[in-house]
Structures are given as structure tokens and as C-alpha cells.
Amino acid sequence: MSVMKRLQMIFSAKANKALDSAEDPRETLDYSYQRQLEMLQKVRRGVADVATSRKRLELQMQQIKAQSDKLEGQSRQALAAGREDLAREALTRRSGVQQQLTDLTAQHAALQAEEEKLTLASQRLQAKVDAFRTRKETIKATYTAAEAQTKIGEAFSGISEEMGDVGLAVQRAEDKTQALQARAGAIDELLASGALDDMSGTAKDDITAELERMGSQGEVELELARLKGELGAGSAPEAIESGPQAAPATAAPPGAAGTTNLAAPAVTPRAEEERQ
Amino acid sequence: MIVRVMGEGQFTVDVSHADLLNGLDGELERAVEAGDETAFRSALTELLDQVRAVGEPLPVDSLEPSDALLPAEDSSIDDVRNLLADTTEGLIPG
């Protein structure tokens, strides 16, 4: 038998079964109406759940985007400092982070679609529930139990079909959201562990540390040059005083010019060691 | 006749289109039975496109039951199998 006919029979069998179980069919009207209201609640909760998941995803996307931008900035900085190796490392990490972002963007689109579908489903169900309430009052007021049977059957099977459809839609949205939440949890853990690198900016990742070290080394060199300049220009007498203490070790002939020159080599090797 | 596209809503379709829809429905059924995902996807998409093309959406506050039900567009072949396997309890809240 065809797919569309079989589905129709399955859905209408549900409605008939519920209807047949009641002694006075009019009793089923109120009961059914209660269930419809419950279903409306359920759909609305579903919409809210999907929206929550979507927002969580958006937050993660922002964090990952920030990390991607940071890595790009680092690669520029490294390249400007002539450290291609460091720039390459930063870009390699960035491509991994970008992959995550692409993944999350697709999940976000899926959740958004689910949210829209559920919102529409809740609006459709709301319209039908309102129509059912009106119909229910008319039937209860106008018809005897025997007469009501057909009328109730008509109203009942339409809304029951809608309830079945909406119920499945909510179920599906829940399943999808749960699967995505599990993945979102995994990403949160990654973010927390620092594997995607720290987003808070409190701890330093190794590329930042290296860039800062390079930066501070530049400052050390500048400071050294400044000190050397000072020693060379204004502090000559001091250098002469210390000169005799250092002089015995060297064979260099004593003299104002020679002693000042000694000061420079004495510092530079130490700076070389620091750079290693 | 009234056709419901699950997750989407109901459409009134003139009986003159019944043959066309039944033909596509037959393709869908064979694809489900064969477990042929590609054939399933194309049959379902075409069937739904046809219903939307020739059908008129029913007012949302209508309480009319449908004469035929079609799976939602994003259903997988397994989703449809599960729907069809449903007997009295379980999947479909009624």
C-alpha cells in the first residue's frame, strides 16, 4: 500500500481509538481539549529549548571567532618580527579553529531552521485548538450524545492528526537539540581545557609568550644600547676607577680610551647568553 | 482531497492530480522498501514539490482530517520506516 495512504490510516486509527474508548463522546471533548493545551505547552517549551541551544552555540561561535582573529593578529605580528616559523604555527592553529567555526555555523543553521519550524507548528496548532474550543462548545450545547458522535468525530480527527504531527516535530527537535548539546558540551570542554586556546586572555598561550619574549628582548637591547651610550659619554671617570681592578687580568695597556672600551665587551656576551 | 505534508501543513489538491501523486507515491514506496536513499530523496522531494505546486494551503484553523499524509521534507528513510512500522502505541502521540 502507498506511503501516503498508510500514514493517513495510522494517524486516523489513533484518533478513532481515543474516541471509541469514551462512553459519552461529549466527555472526550473536554479531555481532548486539555491534551491539546498540554501539547501547545510542549511545543512552546520545545521552541524555547531550541532557542537556548542556538544562543549557546552563538556564544561559542563568538569565542571561537575571537580566537581566530587573535591567531591571525599573532601571525601578522610574528611575520613583522621576521619569525615566519611562528607565523606558520599561528596560521596552522587558526585553520583548525576555522574548521570548528564552519562546523558550528552549519549546526547553527540547522537549529535555526528547527526553531522556525517549531514556531510555525505552534502557531498552526494554536489556530486549530482555538477552532476546536469553539466547535466543542457548539457541540456540547446543541447536540444529544447520539447526534454529537459524528460531529465530534469530524472535529476530533482533524485536531488529532495535527497533534500527532506536532508531537513528532517536537520529538525530532528534541532529538536534534540533544545531539547538538552533547557536541556543544564537548566544545565547551575544549574551550575550558585550553586546547582551542584561552579565550579569556588571562593565561598566555605559547605564541603570545614567544611574541612577548621577542618584544621584551628588543627592549633589553635598547636598554643596553642606552646604558652603553651613558657609560661611553658621561660616566668615564667611574670606568677609569674600576679599570685598575679589571686591568690586571688583561694585557691591554692602561689608558682612558682602552678602559672605556673594556666596559662594552664585558656586557655584550651576557646579553648573548640571555638570547639563547 | 486533502493532503498533509507533515511538519508543514495541509493542502487541498484537486482529484485530477491523484494519478500523478499516486505515481510518485509508488516510487517513494519502492525506494523505502529497497532502502535506496537516493531514490527516496528524489521521490520525496518531487512528491512534496508537486503537492505544493498543485495544492492550495488549507486555512490553519481548519479541523478537516486529511485523506493522505506525506512525510516531512527532511525525513530520512529510517524516519519513514519508523512511521510506517508504528501500529498502535509509541511514536505518534494521539
Side-chain angles (χ1 to χ4, degrees):
Chain A
M1 203 196 297
S2 86
V3 173
M4 50 184 190
K5 198 64 203 162
R6 266 157 77 189
L7 285 179
Q8 189 273 329
M9 286 173 72
I10 289 165
F11 273 66
S12 66
K14 295 268 175 191
N16 290 335
K17 198 185 165 213
L19 204 55
D20 288 346
S21 58
E23 201 136 288
D24 181 343
R26 284 177 300 186
E27 282 169 17
T28 59
L29 286 171
D30 289 321
Y31 174 68
S32 171
Y33 184 63
Q34 280 312 310
R35 294 208 49 199
Q36 290 161 27
L37 295 179
E38 283 164 26
M39 183 60 91
L40 263 179
Q41 284 301 314
K42 202 171 161 184
V43 187
R44 288 187 187 135
R45 264 203 309 276
V47 174
D49 286 349
V50 177
T52 306
S53 292
R54 173 178 55 76
K55 284 174 196 155
R56 182 181 183 188
L57 218 54
E58 279 163 10
L59 204 67
Q60 289 184 331
M61 284 163 77
Q62 277 171 20
Q63 290 178 318
I64 289 178
K65 176 76 172 51
Q67 178 62 7
S68 169
D69 291 347
K70 180 180 163 189
L71 283 165
E72 196 189 338
Q74 285 179 335
S75 66
R76 282 180 200 283
Q77 223 179 318
L79 213 53
R83 288 289 304 273
E84 199 177 320
D85 58 325
L86 211 55
R88 190 182 301 277
E89 175 63 25
L91 288 177
T92 307
R93 286 185 204 176
R94 184 172 178 268
S95 99
V97 168
Q98 281 296 114
Q99 181 56 49
Q100 288 274 6
L101 197 59
T102 311
D103 216 38
L104 289 187
T105 308
Q107 290 177 35
H108 183 260
L111 272 191
Q112 217 163 20
E114 212 58 43
E115 193 178 340
E116 276 163 29
K117 261 190 269 177
L118 273 193
T119 306
L120 287 174
S122 103
Q123 287 164 0
R124 278 198 307 270
L125 183 60
Q126 177 73 67
K128 283 186 166 34
V129 168
D130 290 344
F132 185 88
R133 191 189 57 232
T134 311
R135 188 89 65 95
K136 167 173 86 83
E137 296 312 323
T138 315
I139 293 171
K140 275 164 63 175
T142 335
Y143 297 91
T144 63
E147 288 170 329
Q149 186 107 41
T150 336
K151 298 282 166 199
I152 293 168
E154 284 164 8
F156 205 75
S157 50
I159 193 102
S160 143
E161 191 183 295
E162 188 72 31
M163 297 254 286
D165 191 359
V166 169
L168 281 173
V170 176
Q171 183 65 52
R172 258 150 69 124
E174 270 173 16
D175 290 349
K176 278 190 190 171
T177 313
Q178 255 168 24
L180 287 181
Q181 269 171 349
R183 294 177 67 176
I187 288 174
D188 274 344
E189 272 172 36
L190 268 180
L191 287 168
S193 74
L196 286 176
D197 258 325
D198 108 279
M199 307 292 163
S200 57
T202 47
K204 279 177 195 158
D205 62 86
D206 52 353
I207 293 180
T208 303
E210 176 67 11
L211 284 170
E212 282 182 3
R213 201 182 65 80
M214 285 163 59
S216 67
Q217 202 157 62
E219 278 167 29
V220 168
E221 292 301 323
L222 279 175
E223 193 72 359
L224 274 174
R226 189 179 64 79
L227 286 175
K228 279 183 216 167
E230 277 179 19
L231 286 173
S235 322
E238 239 177 85
I240 293 164
E241 268 173 37
S242 65
Q245 290 161 3
T250 65
T259 339
T260 354
N261 278 346
L262 274 178
V267 180
T268 316
R270 223 177 296 153
E272 289 293 338
E273 279 163 32
E274 272 173 29
R275 206 177 295 152
Q276 302 303 310
Chain B
M1 62 176 181
I2 296 171
V3 179
R4 171 184 291 270
V5 176
M6 292 177 67
E8 198 172 314
Q10 292 169 293
F11 296 83
T12 316
V13 177
D14 194 274
V15 229
S16 61
H17 301 291
D19 282 350
L20 173 68
L21 296 186
N22 281 327
L24 291 169
D25 187 26
E27 279 177 35
L28 182 68
E29 189 190 11
R30 281 188 291 280
V32 171
E33 270 167 18
D36 185 341
E37 185 69 45
T38 318
F40 167 79
R41 188 60 48 208
S42 79
L44 181 59
T45 307
E46 205 181 337
L47 190 48
L48 297 185
D49 283 349
Q50 278 299 332
V51 170
R52 291 178 198 127
V54 302
E56 277 292 316
L58 216 61
V60 276
D61 60 352
S62 149
L63 291 175
E64 294 286 313
S66 309
D67 301 296
L69 261 76
L70 283 170
E73 179 145 47
D74 59 353
S75 310
S76 69
I77 203 162
D78 285 336
D79 290 336
V80 175
R81 279 216 182 101
N82 287 336
L83 274 178
L84 294 174
D86 187 79
T87 47
T88 50
E89 302 302 325
L91 207 60
I92 302 164

